[in-house]
Amino acid sequence: MASFAPSPADVADIGVTGMAVMGSNLARNFARNGFKVAIHNRSVGKTETVMDNYASEGEFYPSESMADFVASLQKPRVAIIMVKAGKPTDAVIDELASLMEEGDIIVDAGNALFGDTRRREAALREKGLHFVGSGVSGGEEGALNGPSIMPGGTKESYDRLGPMFEKISAHVDGVPCCTHVGADGAGHFVKMVHNGIEYADMQVISEAYDMMSKALGMGASEIGDVFAEWNKGDLESFLIEITAEVLHHTDQTSGKPFVDVILDRAAQKGTGAWTVQTALDLGVPVTGIAEATFARSTSGSTPQREAARGVLKGEAQTLEIADKAQFIDDLQKALYAAKLVSYSQGFDEIAAGAKEYGWDIDLGAMARIWRGGCIIRARFLNRITEAYERDANLPLLLADAYFTEEIAKCIPAWRRIVAFAAASGYPVPVFSSTLSYYDAVRAERLPAALVQAQRDYFGAHTYQRVDTEGTFHVEWTQDRRETKQD
């Protein structure tokens, strides 16, 4: 039996079901900010734990059953789901929907594939319910102390949710890190791309670490000092900050640098892969994000790595680094440039998604709400907001005058780092793929002309000419006569 009685009806401002760490921290955040919070969990023990440990933080209204949980919510009711993605989320949605009334709001604040969110929103709309897919970034600490929040759904639902979400979100310069993103799956789409950018950011940071470790022979703590120094300049960000802390940490068991005792296999929960798969569907090159995702896959490819060790020759050159300080400065500039490309590619994907699905997404606002609370918060996000304020239809973030000048300062160093890594046999997938993208997007002419000619040869896929309008095909297996197809 639960250690609490059923909550009174129509009392709570908002409810959270799912009392694992993220859900309980989010509920505590609401309570700390003065909201009356209904809480529920399928196994009542977790609800009891929250009440035992945190009841003094605010007004909580615990319920053992879903029916009591829904009944305790003020109308129009708002219930936030914080359970495992997939079928568990669908099961909770179905249960809540059976107990709710027209105009009530169900919010999925976990990571969900935006296509699932669109499906769920359409189904609940037919029942007169609002469904909101909301990205929440910042991890456990953010959920408790102020995350970046990316809610989608109807504008009517945001009228009810906005004041509460904005109050509990992180604030930068007095501005909440929360805004209405767009209809149906827009919130989860933006959160997906956010996580993809996060993959690229983390990977390229690790590549810089690897170069300092292997090429310069620096120890973890010394490299941590470099990252701490970088965090005072253009690279200032949450991920650079925590990288310095991780590299300074000593393992309590072995006494070795903490990073040196961790198995070199990076896990993933799927949002990076979703970002890449969706980008492929939209025809958007997100090379930095893709290579970062594949890098995690490579790290976990144990049989392949074991088979390759000692068999695959590197033929690497041993290059002398004459000036250690200059090499570190080159790494800093290359890291900055690669990060800018990855963010630019992510914003391209958001713009393409908005166009494809009819979402009115303010790209500048997305950068603004990522300035605090979230994992990819960084100093230059202000500059991204300013770029889209100058031109809301900016076709390429890197083409904005500020970023054109910034990346130009980095190009020689960027090329030196990638060339050094290639010659020395160091894997730098994000450093190299972002540089290759940069060169491709600025090129006057690409070898795609030959690719299209090949496609026309073996599949009659046609081509267009540089000197006249129309679509053409060569009769390759006959007299090689060019014919106009339209």
Side-chain angles (χ1 to χ4, degrees):
M1 289 293 294
S3 59
F4 43 81
S7 296
D10 304 319
V11 65
D13 299 307
I14 195 165
V16 181
T17 178
M19 288 293 105
V21 176
M22 283 292 291
S24 62
N25 279 6
L26 198 61
R28 291 169 60 197
N29 190 350
F30 280 113
R32 288 176 171 188
N33 278 281
F35 297 107
K36 301 173 183 178
V37 187
I39 59 174
H40 168 267
N41 196 77
R42 184 174 58 84
S43 55
V44 73
K46 289 187 176 180
T47 309
E48 291 176 326
T49 298
V50 173
M51 294 304 296
D52 290 343
N53 295 331
Y54 308 114
S56 63
E57 293 184 349
E59 279 192 65
F60 293 100
Y61 293 90
S63 293
E64 183 174 359
S65 73
M66 188 68 84
D68 286 341
F69 170 72
V70 172
S72 70
L73 299 171
Q74 295 180 27
K75 299 177 183 179
R77 303 179 182 93
V78 177
I80 297 177
I81 300 171
M82 292 295 287
V83 301
K84 189 175 180 180
K87 291 182 179 179
T89 296
D90 280 320
V92 174
I93 290 171
D94 290 343
E95 187 175 8
L96 280 170
S98 70
L99 297 167
M100 287 183 149
E101 301 173 357
E102 185 174 347
D104 288 347
I105 303 167
I106 298 174
V107 182
D108 178 9
N111 283 330
L113 183 60
F114 74 96
D116 290 339
T117 303
R118 299 187 77 217
R119 168 180 58 80
R120 291 162 178 161
E121 193 276 335
L124 291 181
R125 191 186 332 127
E126 290 186 359
K127 298 180 179 181
L129 299 174
H130 296 278
F131 183 73
V132 174
S134 180
V136 177
S137 178
E140 299 172 10
E141 182 181 348
L144 181 62
N145 298 315
S148 174
I149 309 179
M150 297 152 257
T154 62
K155 292 181 179 179
E156 292 82 2
S157 64
Y158 194 77
D159 289 341
R160 174 82 165 89
L161 293 170
M164 292 186 287
F165 277 10
E166 289 177 15
K167 188 169 184 179
I168 71 157
S169 73
H171 285 66
V172 176
D173 299 328
V175 178
C177 294
C178 172
T179 192
H180 180 240
V181 175
D184 53 72
H188 275 150
F189 185 94
V190 166
K191 177 56 163 58
M192 173 191 75
V193 177
H194 164 286
N195 284 24
I197 295 170
E198 180 183 307
Y199 273 51
D201 211 341
M202 295 171 70
Q203 174 63 27
V204 78
I205 288 171
S206 76
E207 291 171 18
Y209 150 78
D210 199 43
M211 294 279 277
M212 283 186 271
S213 174
K214 293 175 180 175
L216 296 175
M218 295 169 63
S221 183
E222 186 182 4
I223 300 172
D225 291 340
V226 172
F227 277 101
E229 187 62 31
W230 286 354
N231 198 48
K232 299 175 183 177
D234 290 333
L235 287 174
E236 180 188 353
S237 64
F238 174 74
L239 284 171
I240 295 290
E241 176 187 346
I242 68 167
T243 298
E245 291 192 24
V246 167
L247 292 171
H248 284 137
H249 182 59
T250 300
D251 177 54
Q252 295 181 357
T253 302
S254 66
K256 297 179 180 179
F258 179 64
V259 71
D260 292 345
V261 302
I262 298 177
L263 190 65
D264 60 337
R265 296 179 195 163
Q268 52 185 311
K269 290 188 175 181
T271 47
W274 291 347
T275 305
V276 177
Q277 290 162 356
T278 303
L280 288 171
D281 292 338
L282 293 170
V284 179
V286 291
T287 59
I289 297 169
E291 289 297 341
T293 305
F294 291 137
R296 294 198 190 187
S297 299
T298 301
S299 76
S301 298
T302 303
Q304 291 79 11
R305 293 179 67 190
E306 289 178 349
R309 288 191 187 101
V311 177
L312 299 183
K313 303 302 180 183
E315 302 297 334
Q317 302 177 35
T318 303
L319 301 177
E320 181 183 353
I321 299 174
D323 188 335
K324 176 180 176 181
Q326 180 62 54
F327 188 84
I328 291 173
D329 185 66
D330 281 356
L331 272 176
Q332 179 183 18
K333 289 183 172 67
L335 178 56
Y336 185 41
K339 283 162 69 77
L340 291 180
V341 169
S342 297
Y343 278 72
S344 180
Q345 291 178 344
F347 276 90
D348 281 348
E349 183 167 357
I350 294 173
K355 182 178 180 180
E356 175 71 16
Y357 299 107
W359 297 323
D360 184 19
I361 298 179
D362 183 337
L363 298 179
M366 296 308 98
R368 186 177 65 249
I369 67 172
W370 290 348
R371 294 182 304 161
C374 78
I375 304 301
I376 63 170
R377 58 186 183 264
R379 174 188 289 190
F380 61 74
L381 284 165
N382 276 324
R383 297 295 190 174
I384 295 178
T385 296
E386 292 169 2
Y388 286 112
E389 287 175 347
R390 284 189 288 272
D391 182 0
N393 298 312
L394 185 65
L396 177 71
L397 179 62
L398 294 177
D400 173 76
Y402 175 81
F403 289 108
T404 299
E405 293 178 7
E406 286 296 288
I407 208 162
K409 301 172 187 174
C410 303
I411 294 170
W414 198 7
R415 295 195 188 283
R416 285 194 293 268
I417 289 299
V418 172
F420 180 93
S424 304
Y426 300 135
V428 287
V430 175
F431 273 136
S432 57
S433 66
T434 50
L435 177 58
S436 183
Y437 168 84
Y438 177 84
D439 284 333
V441 79
R442 71 178 187 83
E444 286 286 337
R445 184 167 171 82
L446 292 168
L450 179 57
V451 173
Q452 194 61 22
Q454 293 167 333
R455 294 182 74 242
D456 186 60
Y457 190 107
F458 66 71
H461 292 296
T462 73
Y463 56 90
Q464 294 174 314
R465 298 178 60 94
V466 299
D467 53 2
T468 187
E469 296 292 327
T471 300
F472 300 88
H473 167 61
V474 170
E475 301 296 340
W476 294 102
T477 59
Q478 299 178 25
D479 58 2
R480 301 203 171 185
R481 174 173 46 88
E482 182 181 73
T483 59
K484 193 171 184 179
Q485 302 298 296
D486 57 346

